[in-house]
Amino acid sequence: MRRAGPVLLNPGGGVWIPEASRPSVLGEVLLRTARNGGSQSGGNLPISEQDSPERTCAIMSSQKRVKDSQAQKSTSQVSNSYQTNLLAGEEKEDLNDSKHSLKHGQDNPAEDYGHADDQGEDALQIAMRYFEKGPVKTSQSKDKILEKHLKTVENVAWNNGLAPEGIDVLLNVALSGKFGSAVNTRILKCMIPTTLISEDSVVKAVSWLCVGKCSGSTKVLFYRWLVAMFDFIDHKDQINLLYGFFFASLQDDALGMQPHLQALLSLYKFFAPTLISVSLPARKKIYFKNSENLWKTALFAVRQRNHGPPPEPLKLMLDPAQVRPVKRKWNSYSVIPALNSSSCSKECGKKGMTLSDYLSSNRSFPLEQLKSFPQLLQNIHCLELPSQMGAVLNNSLLLHYINCVKDESILLRLYHWLSQTLQEECIWYKMNNYEHGKEFTNFLDTIIRAECFLQEGFYSCETFLYKSLPLWDGFCCRSQFLQLVSWIPFSNFSEMKPLVFDHLGQLFFTSTIYFKCSVFQSLKELLQNWLLWLSTDIHMKPMMNSPLETTLGGSMNSVSELIHYVGWLSTTAMRLENNSTFLLHFILDFYGKVCDIYINYNLPLVVLFPPGIFYSALLSLDSSILNQLCYIMHRYRNNLTAAKKNELVQKTKSEFNFSSKTYQEFNHYLTAMVGCLWTSKPFQKGLYINPEVLEKAGIAEYKNSLNLVHHPALLSYAVSFLLQEWPEGRTVNMSSIRGKKWNWYLDYLFSEGLQGLKLFIKSSIHHSSVP
Amino acid sequence: MDSYDTPESTPRHSASSRLKDYFIGATPLQKRLESVRKQTSFIPTPPRRKIPQCSQLQEDNDPQKVAFLLHKQWTLYSLTPLYKFSYTNLKEYSRLLSAFIAAEKQKGLAVEVGEDFNIKVTFSTLLGMKGTQRDPEAFLVQILSKSQLPSENREHKVLWTGWFCCIFGDSLLETVSEDFTCVPLFLANGAETNTAIVGTWFQKTFDCYFSPLAINAFNLSWMAAMWTACKMDQYMAATEFLWSVPCSPQSLDISYAIHPEDAKALWDSVHKTPGEVTQEEVDLFMDCLYSHFHRHFKIHLSATRLVRVSTAVASAHTDGKIKILCHKYLIGVLAYLTELAIFQID
């Protein structure tokens, strides 16, 4: 009984409203029945096993409370008419009412009644009050007044539609049986929403149906209205809980022969035979015709008149082809399939399942109801999967799910779908239409979002890169495409180089500096993703045997090949771009990751930058580059020191002992840096320049010219420092910065934000050697 | 699209352990990836193929059904493996697909249910239509119209036909698990709207993906060579090539027809490896045709685009349309098309 609709009616607390004319009374009664847990009135019986909802209602209304409420209701009606009688005629009441409502202004729901003119608005308010209070029994002009108010409501509704509050009131009126059937029909026919219909109103209306206050034809009309307006209902959670009730009610003899409802039942019976127990004529032609939809034209007219942008639900109801006239894809209106549970045919096909079994059995959890992470956790063992796996891309909860599921089929389905969709949608792969470029970009964005969310690349994207990179112009969807590169799953670099990086290289060398920078950016992210993956994986399963990358050493090899490739790329790029500072920033950014592999990722790898990058940075005119270089050298030192320490501790000869070449290389760079910046003895080893040449160039005294004071990147700091300390000084004597002043100067540099330099000096230079 | 926040710490353990599984190359997905890498890094097609042999149809084939497939123009599609497709449920599929078609066709107008469709859908297997025993059974889907009159004439008119097959699909079969049915080649004849509806239903029901299968000039040359190489008792149709010259305002088509026996003679003169066709031979065969044409018309056909090849065995258009004429070489033709389809879904 858990899911069988009416029991769960009014789940929002079942508040008892002691006002006789409120159907929530019923909601309360029903709720109580459920809580009684089957101790009486068959509360535990599934709906379908009862003869009809009529019987359900009969059982329900046998309860005392309902009787009470009926009694209360008649009293209230009496007092109502009594009050009215005290007033001298209908006109007066109207006047009073209108004044009353004007006074209250903002509280009045009628304020919202669209663009009707004032007069119409007033009349509508009066009419609404009239309907809310109910008819006046003794009045002679009763029919006339009713007719007048009905007309008013109809006019407003057909012209501008009704606000949610108005629909709420009128639904109540139409189904409560206050008026005759003819009036109810007229009211229902003009229930055209301006914007939305509140779910609450519908739930209340359904509870009225249980009381049996309205005729069969009114019920039918209400159901038709519900079908027509379904897309306008603001929420559907509670309505979804009522399906059991709907089916039971529709199978009721009183309604069953209505062609529209029969058609609806036949459709359900076709796809879910176990849900419908009533026998339906098989040979009869049954239709849902658009023209028979009473409300469709009115809805359209109201929308036209109110101008404003059409509310979202309306779009759903209209032919989607109007929204997107040209559609090359089969019958789908977005690239990513909608989230639908697997076709229920497999389960529904099983014979001998009753409606109640179907509704209450411990079946798998429908995807459509999956809204929160706790729900996912509770139902993870019985989650229904989407019929088209591609739908997970748009749903973060399902992404969580596929992230931990071990089912190979799920991943293969996603792989095939994504591979083919990328191929079909890719605007340059088949050299077809560039008009869908925006759509393709959005699709790639969605994929990248999912990859970031999962912190993992899709294999489909990798194969897509293999196929499409040779045809890429380097311009289309550049940002997305390079992001896909950075999410290539970790694998053997040398195997991947001809498939991805050689093609990327060709574009790289022939493109602008901005493209080059973007490539370095994405290669940095690729390196980071690989390192993250390796660092977590290796510590979980050390040295797993694998035919592809047999050892950790193999994996490290792959990473080191990537770094060497980027080293080669960056050296060449620096030459091509005339040592651009801008480009060098991006390159050093990459090495900012490289220098910290040992400590940050706990992976046994230290690769130094190539000389082309080191010297370009050391001799740069830009202080931030020099600062960046200092920081990287500092980190290299820390990493190498840590590695050395570990080696000494372990004593054993592991295959990851760094070759002495790495240390030599580092020491060489370090010597060069200290020689230039600190000791003013630059390039003492391996570099000889004929003094005559230097003399000719006017820089015979070159030894100082690269120290912290004279280095072109820092010269302006030195001048500022001197001017700041001795503002009166007529001449600036650079050579005066020595001894104590040298230390002050250092502090000045550090205070100017050169933190990399600070770390470098602290770690790499013994202070005894102050010049 | 719901927005997701990139979590600070993702459950990396599960993810990476899964990755590791792929990484060691044990899973079908990894096999797929490997095969794609291989295919992409080398020349997409193998440099040699077998010349189609005489009737390779398995013995249990239904000659009437096979005859039905010949002499019709089919539009080709590639199709990713079907998830949870079952040959025992064909009847149920007929029922569901016909309901789906009825609903789609009458969307917004009317819905009929039960027995009242004026169309009927049938699923049936095409026995014997396979290259090896491992290939899954081919199957046929038809949309039939039902006469409105309850007359004695129960003959249904065929509105649309489509069939699914896999001939020598080993390379694909190896890379999927048992939940999948691999029929990578789909051929349709009838209104495109029907193809779209049926395709949509398959995509929704079996989580597969249809893509139109175009045949590029390179593959058309291969077809020309392979089909010319087939032994024929008698030639029922001429060998004809169509080239397209993109020029303004109208494109220019060049048709080049040869007597089939002359074509065969030319082929025999360039052909060396018995039973096989090599890339060199294909190139040589086409070059001979080009130079012959150039001698007479001073037009370099190699600078134009080959768009259609017709032989006595079959004819194929670059748009992905094919007509199979010769019963004997049906399997041979389908094997090559299956190969192209698999290449596209890789």
Side-chain angles (χ1 to χ4, degrees):
Chain A
M1 196 72 189
R2 256 189 308 124
R3 283 206 199 147
V7 176
L8 290 172
L9 234 182
N10 201 358
V15 187
W16 168 268
I17 302 167
E19 230 173 277
S21 54
R22 290 286 160 82
S24 36
V25 171
L26 184 80
E28 174 67 5
V29 174
L30 288 167
L31 206 63
R32 277 164 185 261
T33 320
R35 283 183 193 144
N36 285 346
S39 62
Q40 62 174 107
S41 64
N44 251 7
L45 283 180
I47 286 281
S48 65
E49 290 181 18
Q50 297 178 359
D51 296 331
S52 69
E54 230 65 16
R55 197 181 133 198
T56 321
C57 290
I59 294 163
M60 308 289 186
S61 50
S62 72
Q63 297 211 353
K64 193 166 171 284
R65 241 182 167 156
V66 175
K67 277 186 182 161
D68 285 353
S69 82
Q70 308 296 349
Q72 268 186 25
K73 185 172 179 176
S74 47
T75 349
S76 95
Q77 269 175 4
V78 168
S79 68
N80 228 356
S81 54
Y82 175 68
Q83 277 173 2
T84 324
N85 274 346
L86 288 179
L87 295 164
E90 304 298 329
E91 294 303 318
K92 223 171 194 172
E93 190 208 356
D94 284 353
L95 268 172
N96 286 346
D97 272 345
S98 75
K99 270 178 195 161
H100 176 81
S101 67
L102 279 173
K103 261 185 244 159
H104 281 260
Q106 290 184 329
D107 294 333
N108 200 314
E111 280 286 300
D112 294 330
Y113 283 90
H115 308 282
D117 53 305
D118 289 348
Q119 228 179 355
E121 208 166 20
D122 287 348
L124 180 69
Q125 284 169 12
I126 296 161
M128 296 302 269
R129 292 188 75 76
Y130 168 81
F131 282 118
E132 231 176 334
K133 284 189 174 173
V136 183
K137 281 182 181 165
T138 51
S139 168
Q140 287 183 323
S141 51
K142 182 181 112 190
D143 290 347
K144 260 193 195 166
I145 289 161
L146 173 65
E147 181 61 29
K148 188 187 113 192
H149 290 315
L150 211 50
K151 268 263 146 57
T152 308
V153 172
E154 278 173 347
N155 274 340
V156 175
W158 290 92
N159 283 326
N160 300 314
L162 296 170
E165 298 82 356
I167 289 177
D168 188 70
V169 170
L170 289 175
L171 258 185
N172 244 344
V173 173
L175 299 172
S176 63
K178 272 184 205 169
F179 297 92
S181 215
V183 176
N184 294 340
T185 305
R186 276 178 70 182
I187 293 178
L188 277 172
K189 279 188 181 174
C190 70
M191 299 256 278
I192 295 139
T194 314
T195 52
L196 291 169
I197 298 164
S198 134
E199 180 183 28
D200 230 34
S201 313
V202 177
V203 174
K204 271 197 269 177
V206 172
S207 54
W208 272 116
L209 296 185
C210 305
V211 203
K213 281 271 177 187
C214 50
S215 68
S217 65
T218 310
K219 276 190 196 174
V220 170
L221 192 61
F222 169 73
Y223 277 121
R224 287 177 65 188
W225 176 82
L226 192 59
V227 171
M229 299 299 168
F230 194 73
D231 289 329
F232 287 89
I233 300 170
D234 55 358
H235 298 102
K236 305 213 170 61
D237 298 347
Q238 300 191 30
I239 290 176
N240 288 340
L241 297 174
L242 291 174
Y243 270 96
F245 171 78
F246 289 145
F247 283 129
S249 166
L250 287 174
Q251 289 183 55
D252 173 17
D253 287 345
L255 304 178
M257 288 308 122
Q258 299 291 331
H260 307 93
L261 304 177
Q262 220 179 57
L264 194 60
L265 284 175
S266 321
L267 264 188
Y268 277 107
K269 188 163 185 157
F270 189 84
F271 290 104
T274 49
L275 278 181
I276 311 297
S277 57
V278 75
S279 68
L280 294 160
R283 289 244 150 228
K284 206 177 160 206
K285 278 240 172 202
I286 353 180
Y287 289 106
F288 282 115
K289 275 190 186 152
N290 247 356
S291 55
E292 286 184 10
N293 186 336
L294 280 170
W295 297 273
K296 184 163 174 142
T297 35
L299 278 173
F300 202 77
V302 166
R303 196 190 124 210
Q304 293 260 311
R305 200 153 311 165
N306 289 344
H307 281 301
E312 200 59 28
L314 199 59
K315 264 195 216 155
L316 294 173
M317 222 176 103
L318 299 172
D319 184 3
Q322 289 177 347
V323 186
R324 293 191 52 175
V326 193
K327 199 59 224 176
R328 70 210 184 282
K329 276 181 283 287
W330 288 353
N331 209 23
S332 64
Y333 302 99
S334 71
V335 181
I336 300 171
L339 197 64
N340 287 317
S341 294
S342 309
S343 157
C344 73
S345 62
K346 286 156 207 155
E347 236 178 306
C348 299
K350 286 175 200 153
K351 301 280 181 248
M353 221 179 163
T354 65
L355 173 65
S356 60
D357 287 342
Y358 189 81
L359 289 170
S360 63
S361 67
N362 254 345
R363 294 180 310 126
S364 48
F365 188 77
L367 272 184
E368 289 81 355
Q369 288 177 28
L370 184 66
K371 296 278 188 285
S372 68
F373 193 70
Q375 261 182 331
L376 174 71
L377 292 182
Q378 275 164 26
N379 298 291
I380 201 152
H381 60 288
C382 60
L383 198 65
E384 225 169 63
L385 289 169
S387 60
Q388 287 171 283
M389 207 42 82
V392 301
L393 277 192
N394 268 341
N395 188 306
S396 54
L397 290 172
L398 286 176
L399 282 176
H400 274 304
Y401 180 74
I402 67 158
N403 194 34
C404 62
V405 77
K406 294 262 186 270
D407 188 350
E408 180 74 14
S409 305
I410 291 177
L411 302 168
L412 264 174
R413 285 163 71 187
L414 187 62
Y415 172 88
H416 282 301
W417 174 80
L418 193 52
S419 300
Q420 290 297 290
T421 311
L422 279 167
Q423 243 180 71
E424 282 297 300
E425 295 297 314
C426 180
I427 45 184
W428 65 85
Y429 184 66
K430 287 198 167 174
M431 290 211 215
N432 41 14
N433 36 6
Y434 275 70
E435 61 190 285
H436 298 288
K438 186 86 191 96
E439 197 176 43
F440 183 57
T441 313
N442 291 340
F443 180 55
L444 290 181
D445 280 332
T446 307
I447 294 171
I448 290 158
R449 262 203 303 278
E451 289 187 326
C452 289
F453 180 77
L454 293 172
Q455 288 289 298
E456 184 180 349
F458 294 116
Y459 282 107
S460 319
C461 296
E462 189 184 336
T463 55
F464 171 65
L465 284 176
Y466 296 165
K467 289 186 171 193
S468 60
L469 200 55
L471 307 169
W472 187 41
D473 60 1
F475 181 74
C476 225
C477 308
R478 175 191 294 176
S479 149
Q480 286 79 10
F481 212 66
L482 288 177
Q483 282 183 77
L484 286 186
V485 169
S486 66
W487 280 111
I488 293 177
F490 175 74
S491 64
N492 190 326
F493 183 81
S494 47
E495 218 173 281
M496 211 151 39
K497 186 167 171 289
L499 297 168
V500 176
F501 297 100
D502 287 350
H503 296 296
L504 197 60
Q506 281 174 6
L507 282 170
F508 179 87
F509 291 125
T510 53
S511 298
T512 62
I513 185 168
Y514 302 104
F515 182 85
K516 293 190 176 86
C517 294
S518 321
V519 169
F520 282 121
Q521 173 79 15
S522 88
L523 289 173
K524 184 190 82 178
E525 279 158 19
L526 176 70
L527 176 71
Q528 180 178 308
N529 289 334
W530 282 16
L531 291 173
L532 265 175
W533 180 73
L534 283 170
S535 62
T536 45
D537 192 64
I538 276 160
H539 298 113
M540 211 173 54
K541 289 184 210 162
M543 309 289 173
M544 190 161 165
N545 284 330
S546 131
L548 206 68
E549 291 289 347
T550 42
T551 55
L552 177 62
S555 307
M556 287 301 104
N557 225 11
S558 195
V559 176
S560 122
E561 278 173 63
L562 169 66
I563 296 169
H564 284 298
Y565 173 77
V566 177
W568 170 76
L569 211 57
S570 48
T571 310
T572 318
M574 284 299 283
R575 263 206 301 272
L576 284 173
E577 299 295 341
N578 300 318
N579 295 321
S580 156
T581 307
F582 187 62
L583 185 68
L584 194 51
H585 266 295
F586 282 87
I587 295 170
L588 289 182
D589 224 24
F590 178 83
Y591 283 100
K593 282 268 169 282
V594 174
C595 65
D596 250 346
I597 292 175
Y598 190 87
I599 290 179
N600 273 1
Y601 300 94
N602 209 354
L603 293 171
L605 186 70
V606 179
V607 182
L608 289 166
F609 31 39
I613 300 307
F614 172 76
Y615 289 109
S616 293
L618 180 60
L619 303 177
S620 165
L621 301 180
D622 187 283
S623 61
S624 65
I625 291 283
L626 190 65
N627 184 53
Q628 227 175 332
L629 176 74
C630 288
Y631 177 76
I632 292 170
M633 283 299 283
H634 160 70
R635 293 306 303 173
Y636 267 132
R637 164 185 278 277
N638 285 1
N639 277 263
L640 285 168
T641 316
K644 194 95 190 168
K645 220 184 258 170
N646 255 354
E647 269 172 44
L648 290 175
V649 169
Q650 288 179 348
K651 295 256 171 162
T652 47
K653 273 240 165 194
S654 108
E655 63 173 306
F656 306 117
N657 283 353
F658 301 113
S659 72
S660 54
K661 213 181 134 221
T662 311
Y663 291 100
Q664 278 169 16
E665 233 178 313
F666 174 78
N667 285 335
H668 176 76
Y669 285 156
L670 187 66
T671 317
M673 267 180 92
V674 174
C676 285
L677 298 174
W678 196 266
T679 57
S680 304
K681 290 170 190 159
F683 312 122
Q684 288 198 318
K685 272 186 224 162
L687 188 78
Y688 176 76
I689 303 169
N690 192 338
E692 276 177 36
V693 175
L694 290 168
E695 211 163 323
K696 243 184 201 167
I699 42 169
E701 254 328 292
Y702 71 95
K703 293 207 167 174
N704 279 337
S705 53
L706 285 172
N707 71 17
L708 287 177
V709 177
H710 295 94
H711 192 289
L714 299 173
L715 198 58
S716 61
Y717 286 91
V719 173
S720 300
F721 168 73
L722 289 172
L723 286 175
Q724 194 182 312
E725 299 291 308
W726 297 274
E728 307 83 29
R730 284 289 163 99
T731 53
V732 179
N733 183 7
M734 305 295 267
S735 317
S736 69
I737 304 179
R738 63 175 70 198
K740 236 181 206 171
K741 228 178 187 182
W742 177 272
N743 284 340
W744 294 343
Y745 174 60
L746 282 185
D747 290 337
Y748 172 75
L749 287 179
F750 302 158
S751 73
E752 288 291 303
L754 298 175
Q755 292 301 307
L757 183 70
K758 183 179 180 179
L759 291 166
F760 174 74
I761 289 175
K762 292 257 151 89
S763 65
S764 305
I765 292 169
H766 295 295
H767 264 260
S768 58
S769 61
V770 171
Chain B
M1 178 74 211
D2 51 4
S3 59
Y4 12 85
D5 312 309
T6 307
E8 287 294 305
S9 60
T10 36
R12 294 229 21 111
H13 282 253
S14 52
S16 48
S17 76
R18 196 172 92 232
L19 276 168
K20 192 76 188 176
D21 290 342
Y22 297 141
F23 199 51
I24 61 174
T27 67
L29 199 52
Q30 184 62 39
K31 285 184 195 156
R32 283 242 57 66
L33 194 68
E34 287 300 302
S35 108
V36 175
R37 279 197 187 152
K38 259 180 227 142
Q39 289 220 0
T40 323
S41 35
F42 306 112
I43 307 162
T45 42
R48 55 181 64 226
R49 288 195 178 81
K50 283 201 173 97
I51 295 175
Q53 297 300 304
C54 251
S55 186
Q56 291 167 304
L57 276 169
Q58 313 263 324
E59 282 154 15
D60 52 353
N61 78 81
D62 176 351
Q64 217 178 338
K65 271 188 182 163
V66 171
F68 176 81
L69 304 177
L70 300 175
H71 298 283
K72 273 196 182 60
Q73 178 168 285
W74 301 101
T75 306
L76 303 172
Y77 294 84
S78 67
L79 177 63
T80 61
L82 305 176
Y83 178 66
K84 296 261 186 211
F85 176 86
S86 163
Y87 284 93
T88 55
N89 283 351
L90 295 186
K91 214 167 192 173
E92 178 75 359
Y93 297 154
S94 308
R95 203 174 67 87
L96 290 170
L97 179 55
S98 60
F100 184 78
I101 293 170
E104 286 294 309
K105 291 225 158 170
Q106 292 151 0
K107 202 180 245 176
L109 287 172
V111 172
E112 299 169 75
V113 288
E115 291 294 305
D116 257 348
F117 301 139
N118 49 23
I119 58 126
K120 186 185 163 185
V121 175
T122 61
F123 276 63
S124 58
T125 50
L126 289 166
L127 287 177
M129 191 79 80
K130 41 167 80 175
T132 66
Q133 281 309 318
R134 274 189 76 190
D135 286 334
E137 212 71 64
F139 62 95
L140 183 82
V141 178
Q142 287 193 306
I143 304 178
L144 309 164
S145 77
K146 283 199 281 195
S147 53
Q148 298 293 61
L149 303 163
S151 64
E152 69 286 347
N153 180 16
R154 299 294 293 170
E155 270 297 289
H156 299 313
K157 192 176 162 232
V158 177
L159 294 178
W160 179 93
T161 308
W163 48 298
F164 301 75
C165 69
C166 177
I167 312 291
F168 297 109
D170 287 3
S171 67
L172 180 63
L173 295 169
E174 278 163 11
T175 59
V176 295
S177 55
E178 65 272 23
D179 282 336
F180 295 90
T181 304
C182 296
V183 275
L185 183 62
F186 171 67
L187 306 95
N189 171 268
E192 156 74 21
T193 50
N194 284 328
T195 310
I197 294 173
V198 173
T200 303
W201 183 80
F202 267 86
Q203 291 189 163
K204 284 185 172 170
T205 314
F206 304 111
D207 203 1
C208 55
Y209 197 104
F210 289 80
S211 314
L213 180 62
I215 309 169
N216 61 28
F218 178 82
N219 291 322
L220 281 176
S221 314
W222 264 93
M223 288 175 175
M226 282 195 298
W227 297 344
T228 304
C230 292
K231 283 196 184 69
M232 298 290 279
D233 301 331
Q234 74 180 118
Y235 291 100
M236 303 298 291
T239 301
E240 191 188 343
F241 299 85
L242 192 71
W243 279 274
S244 169
V245 186
C247 53
S248 189
Q250 265 182 313
S251 69
L252 176 70
D253 288 341
I254 301 171
S255 165
Y256 184 172
I258 316 163
H259 193 279
E261 282 166 14
D262 294 344
K264 181 75 164 70
L266 173 62
W267 170 255
D268 288 339
S269 73
V270 301
H271 179 55
K272 290 184 202 84
T273 351
E276 276 186 347
V277 180
T278 65
Q279 183 66 56
E280 273 178 8
E281 290 171 356
V282 174
D283 293 342
L284 199 55
F285 178 67
M286 294 309 283
D287 285 346
C288 288
L289 292 173
Y290 292 155
S291 58
H292 178 75
F293 196 82
H294 183 254
R295 201 173 310 130
H296 290 279
F297 302 102
K298 301 281 172 274
I299 292 173
H300 289 287
L301 284 176
S302 55
T304 66
R305 197 164 66 98
L306 180 59
V307 294
R308 201 183 69 205
V309 170
S310 316
T311 70
V313 171
S315 73
H317 193 280
T318 187
D319 292 349
K321 296 212 161 64
I322 191 136
K323 201 184 264 185
I324 304 170
L325 306 171
C326 178
H327 166 268
K328 258 167 54 175
Y329 296 109
L330 177 62
I331 291 293
V333 171
L334 291 175
Y336 186 54
L337 294 176
T338 305
E339 187 189 322
L340 295 182
I342 291 176
F343 179 70
Q344 180 158 298
I345 63 172
D346 256 338

